[in-house]
Amino acid sequence: MSGFRIVCPNCGERAAAEFSFGGEMIAYPDGGVESLEENYERVWLRTNARGSQSEQWFHAAGCRRWVTTVRDTATNVAG
């Protein structure tokens, strides 16, 4: 993961090692009602698709806030 950096709106650009991965951003279903199976799939199963995806990262070694960023999973470049 050499060179992988994330821009924190509070602290600026930092090494990814300062952050804990919180997962892909997955939308809730329309109306907010889902079965247990749908909830399990939304919370635990990830697509990990090649290309851009929205993700949550927790700045554990900095301001201790959540950051939402878009990262290209093929190149590890976060924007």
Side-chain angles (χ1 to χ4, degrees), residues 1 3-6 14-21 57-59:
M1 211 179 322
F4 179 27
R5 301 184 67 78
I6 297 173
R14 299 286 195 253
E18 291 189 12
F19 296 82
S20 297
F21 183 64
W57 291 81
F58 181 68
H59 198 179

Side-chain angles (χ1 to χ4, degrees), residues 7-77:
V7 177
C8 174
N10 299 307
C11 306
E13 186 174 314
R14 299 286 195 253
E18 291 189 12
F19 296 82
S20 297
F21 183 64
E24 299 172 17
M25 296 290 293
I26 299 174
Y28 285 95
D30 292 336
V33 178
E34 60 188 358
S35 68
L36 289 176
E37 293 81 16
E38 290 169 330
N39 178 266
Y40 173 81
E41 289 176 11
R42 182 181 54 80
V43 173
W44 296 106
L45 302 181
R46 302 294 182 221
T47 58
N48 197 25
R50 184 177 180 91
S52 293
Q53 70 179 15
S54 294
E55 300 173 334
Q56 293 180 326
W57 291 81
F58 181 68
H59 198 179
C63 62
R64 304 195 55 77
R65 295 186 182 256
W66 285 97
V67 175
T68 301
T69 189
V70 176
R71 179 178 64 96
D72 187 319
T73 58
T75 62
N76 257 352
V77 174

